[in-house]
Each structure stands twice: as structure tokens, then as C-alpha cells.
Amino acid sequence: MVSSSEKANSPNANRVMVDEERGPDATLAEKEAPHAAPPHHAYGMAYGYTADRLQLFWDRLRGKGRRKIGWLESGKNVVLSSFLNIFLIFIPLAWASHWEMTQWGHDATFALCFLAIIPLECMFDWGGEQMAMYLGKDLGDLLIITLNNAVEAVLAIILLAKCELRLLQSTIVGVVILHLLLIPGTAFLVGGYNIRQQALHPHHTDLNHTLLMIGVLATMLPTAFFAALDRGANAVTAAGQETASSLVNDITRGQILKMSRGMAIMLLVVYIASRLYLHNPPGENNALTVPHDAPEAIHHAEAHLLEEEPLIHPLACALLLVITVGLMAVTAEFLVESIDAVRETSGIQTEWFGLILLPIVSFSADGAVAILFFFQSIYDHLTHREILVPSMLARGRAIDLSIQFTLWWMPVLVLLGWWTSKPMHLLFDYLEVSLLLGSCFLVNYVTADSKTNWVEGLIMIVFYFMIALVTWFYPGQPEVAFMLHCEGSVAEAVAEGAEGNIEAVVSEVARAVGRAVS
């Protein structure tokens, strides 16, 4: 018999007292319960699963189990991938026009470069969808989104290198609005022509609302900061006191640059975290797989990628995308170099040029397919034929393009400007921020129930044309242009702007006098 004092002084005292407190039933159940797997066994199971997943991914990437496709057949399929490949002939013409600028003219160079980018954008779409068969739906969608943003990203980087920062900012806003309104609106209108409603992924839609808002609000904060300072300065002046200096100066720009660079890093963290969440959601063995609660259409799309035979060898497809990026970079640079002359001769406002004209380049290929499909669908409906939606048409994925551009490319451009000593910041034009907020709210309302129809698509298109109409007459906010001045200080930019205004007034007066004399 063991006494209580001996029990308390024994080495196993703590264990005995805990067992007694828990009671005999709990202790018995614990003894009868099966032993848990040792940690090293669980680690081995996880390692084995990861190795199996990597092996499956590698086999799929190499095309194991699929029909072998030769390089000659791959090249033939590339040429016949789209009727828009006819426009590839404009690439050498655009380059020749650039090298012979004095003979061809800037307008011809701009138009030829614009047309040359159409088949390259189409090639991105086709190559991305072919690679998705080797990568799977998860990584395939990410690749397609990145490739669809390649045109705008290349244009934006070239504008940054040329220090066309005001045009760069308006182009960023124009690209986001295009991807929020025109592209999905066209897809909803054309795709829902003969369908009562179309379904979106509810899980992705809910997250997209939040990601869209954080990206748009990031552009609003520096703008609200500057507007609050401006209002305070005006109030002080109205009270009869002199302000120390104008708000449009290097000190204010330095503050905005610091907050913009800090916010850019935060936006990148948000985007990377969102990709990790989507591609590796919480739970075991969920990485790079379609969630079990995804709509049936998502599972069907993944099965379709597994069953459908690709038309190009994976290495040939990767080489095709690399060559297309190179051709795109050179053509886009020639396009940017001809912009100034085209603006001067056409009289188009910089705002409209950046918000509407440049972003529409990326939509030209999808737009051409959408228009042709729309008329074809009407013909098929009248002749009672089956209506098939071409794979090139963008759908809800277009909203993901805006998310990637606001949370990835826009911060990257700010940090690249920091690295190259370009004053690229997130202080946008007041009207541009208003357009972003309005577009974001409309898209969130349209996709709130994860369902769309052709009428909602029409509404989105109409709102986009409303924006195009308003910005046609908008000259832009001069304070923002001064704060984006690359050469010299902000004060020098303000002085140059004042001289330019005086010259414009003098020329206008001269023209008026000439008209009166004549």
C-alpha cells in the first residue's frame, strides 16, 4: 500500500495527480486509444505526397501520356491558330516605318504598330491556353492572366523608361477600367446572348471584391492626402494669412514618394498572399488542385484540360511566348516613340490618349473576335444552328487582370521608378480616382451574386463609353503633371508650365486678331 506522502514524493507524482484529477474513465480511454503516428511518420507521409505531386506535375508538363507533337506540326498549328495572324505582316512594316520615319511619318508608324500588336496579343492568348493544358487550371489561369497583361506591362515599362509618367498614370487607370468594364462586359454580353445567366466562381468572386477595393483605395489615399492639404492651405489663405509655400513643391512630392513606395511594398505582399491562399488554400493536400466546393463548371474545365490534346509541343510553346514577348517589346517601344507627334497633330488630350486609346490596344484582338462572334451568333440563331463561344473570349478572368495590374504591376512600376530615379508615385488625377472607384463599385454590384447576364454586360459597356465621352473633353490636372516632372525640380516644372500658358494665351490672341482683321 502506497501512502499519500509517498505518492507525492515519487518521481511520477505529477502524472499520478493529473490522472486522478481526470478520473479513471478518461485514463482508461486514453490507454485504449490507438497510438498516434510518430512525427517522423507524418513527415514521411507529407514528403511522399509532395514528391508524388511534383512527379505528376513534371509528367504533365512534359506531356507524358499525350500524343507526341513534333516541331513541324507545332509550327503549322501556330500559323493556323487564328485568322488574326494575317496581321503579322504589319510587324516588318511597322519596324520599317520607324526606321524611315521621315518618309513614312509618325502617324503611319503609330497606326502600323497598333495593328502589329493585335496578332501578338492573340498569340499570347493562344499560347497561354495551350500551356494551361500542360500546367493545369490553377497555374494555367495565372499564366494566362500574366500573358494577357503583358502588352500593358510592356507599354507601361517603356513609358516609365521614357519618363512619360503622366501618360503612364492615365494608362494604368485606363487598363484597370478596360479590364473592369469593357472586356468582362463584352464577354457577358456576347456569352450570355442565348443564356439566361452565367455563373462565376463564388469563392474567387468574394475575394476579388476585397482585392479590387484595396488596390483602388491605395490610389485614393495619396490623392486624399494631397486634397486635404490643398483644402487646408486654401482655408488659411482665405483667413487672411499667407501660406509658407505652394503645396506643389519638392517637399510635398518627397512625402508622396515615400508613402507611395511604402504602400507599393504592402500591395505586393497582399497580392503574393492572395496567390498563396488561392493556389494553396488551408487544409491538407490542397496545393494546385481544384477545390472540392468549386462549381461544376470549374471541375469540368480541369477535366477538359486533362482530356484535350494540345496543338503544340511544350518547349515550342515556351519558345513561342519568349519570341512573342521580344517582338512585343520592340513594337511597343516604336509605338511609344511616335506618341508625342501623333498627339500634337491629332489634338487628342493626354488623358483620353492614356485612358482609352493605349489600353484599347490590348483589347483589339479579343474585340475583333467578339464582334465577329456576335454577328456569327445572330446568324446561327436565325439559322437554328448551335452557338459555340470561342475560347479566345475573356470572361470573369478579365477582372483578375485588373487585380494583378493594381496589386502587382502598379507597385512594381513605383519601385522600378524608385530604382531608376523616376518620380513615379500614387498621386493620381482626381477624376481618374473617381473613375476607378465608380468602376469598382459597379463591378462589385454586378458580380455580387456570382451570376451575370447580357444586360449587365451591356450596362458595363455603356458606362465605359460614358467614361470615354467625358475624358475626351478633360485636359487633366496640372498639379499632378508638375509632381511627375522628371527633369529638374517641381518649381522648374511650374515655371515651365506658366511660360507655356502665357505662350498659349498669346498665340490664341494672335489668332483672334488675325480672324478679326481678315
Side-chain angles (χ1 to χ4, degrees):
M1 192 75 179
V2 182
S3 63
S4 300
S5 59
E6 291 175 344
K7 204 183 276 190
N9 295 328
S10 64
N12 298 327
N14 292 333
R15 183 187 63 80
V16 173
M17 294 298 292
V18 171
D19 289 347
E20 289 179 352
E21 290 174 0
R22 293 170 60 192
D25 295 336
T27 305
L28 181 61
E30 188 179 56
K31 293 178 180 179
E32 294 178 352
H35 293 288
H40 63 84
H41 179 66
Y43 174 79
M45 292 177 60
Y47 177 80
Y49 173 79
T50 303
D52 291 342
R53 293 288 300 175
L54 289 176
Q55 185 62 43
L56 289 174
F57 175 76
W58 177 244
D59 291 341
R60 181 171 184 172
L61 184 61
R62 291 186 300 138
K64 186 177 181 180
R66 297 181 185 268
R67 185 179 65 87
K68 298 295 182 182
I69 304 174
W71 286 80
L72 185 61
E73 182 182 357
S74 298
K76 177 183 176 181
N77 291 333
V78 168
V79 174
L80 301 177
S81 61
S82 172
F83 69 92
L84 292 176
N85 288 342
I86 298 174
F87 285 78
L88 288 171
I89 194 174
F90 288 109
I91 295 178
L93 293 176
W95 292 17
S97 176
H98 173 76
W99 291 324
E100 298 292 338
M101 190 77 71
T102 56
Q103 298 181 6
W104 293 59
H106 293 280
D107 294 343
T109 302
F110 181 85
L112 291 172
C113 290
F114 190 98
L115 293 174
I117 288 177
I118 294 177
L120 297 177
E121 171 67 19
C122 180
M123 200 66 69
F124 280 136
D125 291 340
W126 186 81
E129 295 197 1
Q130 291 296 311
M131 282 301 297
M133 300 181 194
Y134 296 105
L135 296 174
K137 178 167 177 56
D138 218 29
L139 288 179
D141 281 348
L142 181 61
L143 177 65
I144 292 173
I145 290 169
T146 304
L147 291 174
N148 278 313
N149 272 329
V151 178
E152 298 90 339
V154 170
L155 280 172
I157 292 173
I158 294 174
L159 287 172
L160 178 65
K162 302 289 184 182
C163 215
E164 294 278 357
L165 301 186
R166 186 68 202 94
L167 186 59
L168 171 59
Q169 278 196 343
S170 59
T171 302
I172 290 174
V173 176
V175 167
V176 175
I177 292 175
L178 177 85
H179 290 159
L180 284 179
L181 298 176
L182 186 59
I183 294 181
T186 304
F188 298 157
L189 174 63
V190 177
Y193 170 74
N194 203 33
I195 304 173
R196 181 173 178 83
Q197 62 184 14
Q198 296 171 289
L200 301 174
H201 195 317
H203 172 65
H204 290 179
T205 302
D206 292 340
L207 180 60
N208 283 350
H209 291 167
T210 307
L211 294 175
L212 270 178
M213 285 306 301
I214 188 63
V216 172
L217 291 176
T219 64
M220 187 195 72
L221 288 176
T223 306
F225 170 81
F226 183 79
L229 292 180
D230 188 28
R231 184 176 179 84
N234 290 335
V236 171
T237 304
Q241 302 177 18
E242 294 293 333
T243 55
S245 61
S246 172
L247 289 175
V248 184
N249 54 43
D250 291 290
I251 297 176
T252 306
R253 183 170 72 172
Q255 294 173 343
I256 294 175
L257 283 172
K258 290 178 182 178
M259 67 176 70
S260 298
R261 291 159 182 170
M263 291 169 59
I265 296 173
M266 298 178 195
L267 290 176
L268 290 176
V269 171
V270 170
Y271 183 74
I272 294 173
S274 68
R275 295 310 98 184
L276 291 175
Y277 174 76
L278 289 176
H279 300 308
N280 187 18
E284 295 182 0
N285 305 334
N286 288 333
L288 302 179
T289 58
V290 177
H292 63 86
D293 58 343
E296 186 62 28
I298 304 296
H299 291 280
H300 182 268
E302 174 64 18
H304 178 71
L305 291 176
L306 283 172
E307 297 171 0
E308 186 177 2
E309 290 293 337
L311 300 176
I312 186 173
H313 191 276
L315 290 179
C317 190
L319 181 62
L320 170 68
L321 293 177
V322 171
I323 294 175
T324 305
V325 169
L327 294 175
M328 176 69 69
V330 177
T331 308
E333 183 175 3
F334 295 164
L335 178 74
V336 170
E337 290 180 0
S338 64
I339 284 177
D340 287 335
V342 173
R343 277 200 318 234
E344 293 175 1
T345 56
S346 63
I348 299 176
Q349 301 279 5
T350 302
E351 284 292 320
W352 198 87
F353 210 96
L355 281 170
I356 305 299
L357 189 56
L358 284 184
I360 211 72
V361 174
S362 64
F363 182 64
S364 52
D366 285 336
V369 174
I371 293 171
L372 291 176
F373 170 74
F374 184 73
F375 287 110
Q376 181 186 352
S377 63
I378 294 177
Y379 174 77
D380 292 341
H381 180 73
L382 294 176
T383 56
H384 304 288
R385 295 182 180 179
E386 183 181 3
I387 299 177
L388 299 176
V389 180
S391 60
M392 288 176 60
L393 284 179
R395 291 178 176 81
R397 184 188 297 152
I399 299 175
D400 292 329
L401 299 177
S402 294
I403 293 173
Q404 187 187 75
F405 213 86
T406 54
L407 298 183
W408 177 261
W409 288 113
M410 185 176 70
V412 166
L413 291 170
V414 172
L415 297 179
L416 279 177
W418 187 12
W419 182 41
T420 57
S421 301
K422 303 288 195 307
M424 176 62 187
H425 50 67
L426 298 180
L427 173 61
F428 283 79
D429 188 287
Y430 292 172
L431 178 64
E432 293 174 353
V433 175
S434 302
L435 297 179
L436 281 176
L437 287 171
S439 302
C440 187
F441 285 141
L442 178 59
V443 169
N444 284 350
Y445 279 127
V446 168
T447 60
D449 58 351
S450 301
K451 297 177 182 178
T452 63
N453 53 64
W454 69 268
V455 178
E456 291 176 331
L458 178 63
I459 292 172
M460 297 167 74
I461 295 174
V462 168
F463 185 57
Y464 183 83
F465 282 108
M466 289 180 181
I467 292 174
L469 178 62
V470 170
T471 54
W472 176 263
F473 303 98
Y474 184 60
Q477 190 177 352
E479 294 87 352
V480 176
F482 294 150
M483 301 287 272
L484 291 168
H485 186 65
C486 280
E487 299 176 359
S489 63
V490 177
E492 294 175 356
V494 173
E496 292 175 4
E499 292 176 0
N501 291 335
I502 293 174
E503 292 175 359
V505 171
V506 170
S507 62
E508 183 64 28
V509 171
R511 283 195 297 268
V513 171
R515 288 194 299 267
V517 171
S518 61

